[in-house]
């Protein structure tokens, strides 16, 4: 099969086309003939040597795919309601940048009705991540307020739409007035340009001093102290990336007085059973929203797989609004 591999750690140009043996699905797995592969920031981190591949996972980058089922564990597929020839999208621990990809059956979902494979490939990584962190770990409820740091990322545009669909008020930060406008167009209630505004002051003003209930934080570092300042009582800060650094110093007194929770997670190394439970929740709670287009795909750009380096360069530029997808 054709694939894109990381020839050495470094700049986007280290991504090169290669030929690899066809993967073979094992027990509880199926094989997808891939037509589209999502591009995510963890792929960039893997390419630069900052995100080790979990034990047993493919060294080929790529965490989400969409395509057609061509082989697999018949019993496991039947139990999951999946069949040969069916269009699916899947979350994988690696191997997504390839024409063929093995995926655990429990991490596969049918392509939503009316969606293209390119649109479907933009779903798994961000939707699994947002559901697990905003709704499971962060326990966001209808009527609460969510602050999203980085509203135009793939994670951000997903979190905006899901939080709004489930009855929350959404505040986002973004790095330009144009990006703020894009977030508002997606349904965010308020957008803060973090380069020209102090998000702590604006959040306090918007919430009449109460603060937000949940923060989805992809920055960490010095942001954590500022987030603590603008949390409501019993608020939850959920950290899913550390683009601003791994060390944070914050007012622990506020954590005590407001009974705050500071938590976080990474999805890639979690066991299949954990991810399968998320998939089940998505199928029940979110897939109907996708089929009705109450939640819409946000694909910023597509690239032929051979141009994966260009896709990574765009990801690192931060100029995209939504997802970047490779096509095969």
């Amino acid at each position: 099969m054709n694939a894109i591999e990381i020839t050495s750690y470094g700049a986007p140009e280290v991504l090169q086309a290669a030929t690899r043996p066809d993967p073979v699905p094992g027990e509880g797995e199926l094989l997808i003939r891939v037509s589209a592969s999502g591009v995510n920031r963890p792929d960039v981190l893997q390419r630069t040597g900052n995100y080790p591949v979990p034990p047993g996972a493919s060294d080929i980058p790529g965490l989400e795919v969409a395509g057609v089922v061509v082989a697999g564990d018949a019993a496991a597929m039947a139990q999951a309601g999946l069949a040969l020839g069916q269009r699916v999208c899947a979350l994988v621990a690696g191997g997504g940048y390839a024409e063929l990809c093995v995926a655990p059956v429990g991490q596969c979902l049918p392509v939503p009705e009316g969606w293209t494979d390119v649109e479907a490939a933009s779903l798994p990584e961000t939707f699994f991540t947002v559901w697990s962190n905003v709704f499971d770990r962060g326990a966001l409820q209808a009527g609460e307020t969510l602050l999203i740091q980085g509203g135009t990322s793939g994670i951000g545009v997903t979190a905006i739409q899901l939080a709004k669909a489930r009855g929350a008020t959404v505040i986002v930060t973004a790095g330009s007035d144009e990006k703020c406008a894009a977030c508002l167009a997606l349904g965010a209630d308020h957008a803060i340009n973090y380069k020209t505004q102090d998000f702590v002051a604006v959040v306090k003003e918007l919430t009449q001093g109460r603060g937000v209930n949940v923060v989805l934080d992809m920055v960490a570092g010095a942001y954590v102290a500022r987030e603590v300042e603008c949390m409501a009582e019993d608020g939850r800060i959920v950290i899913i990336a550390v683009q601003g650094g791994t060390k944070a110093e914050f007012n622990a007194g506020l954590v005590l007085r407001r009974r705050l929770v500071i938590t976080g997670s990474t999805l890639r190394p979690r066991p299949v059973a954990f991810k399968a439970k998320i998939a089940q929740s998505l199928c029940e709670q979110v897939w109907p929203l996708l089929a009705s287009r109450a939640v819409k795909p946000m694909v910023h750009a597509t690239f032929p797989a051979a141009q994966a380096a260009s896709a990574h360069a765009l990801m690192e530029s931060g100029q995209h609004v939504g997802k970047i997808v490779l096509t095969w």
Side-chain angles (χ1 to χ4, degrees), residues 22-32 70-73 77 101-105:
D22 291 353
V24 178
E27 183 178 355
E29 296 179 331
L30 53 72
L31 183 66
I32 300 169
V70 294
D73 181 332
M77 288 168 57
C101 183
V102 166
V105 170

Side-chain angles (χ1 to χ4, degrees), residues 33-49:
R33 183 168 299 283
V34 177
S35 57
S37 311
V39 177
N40 294 280
R41 193 159 293 278
D43 306 345
V44 173
L45 295 176
Q46 180 179 334
R47 191 203 76 225
T48 57

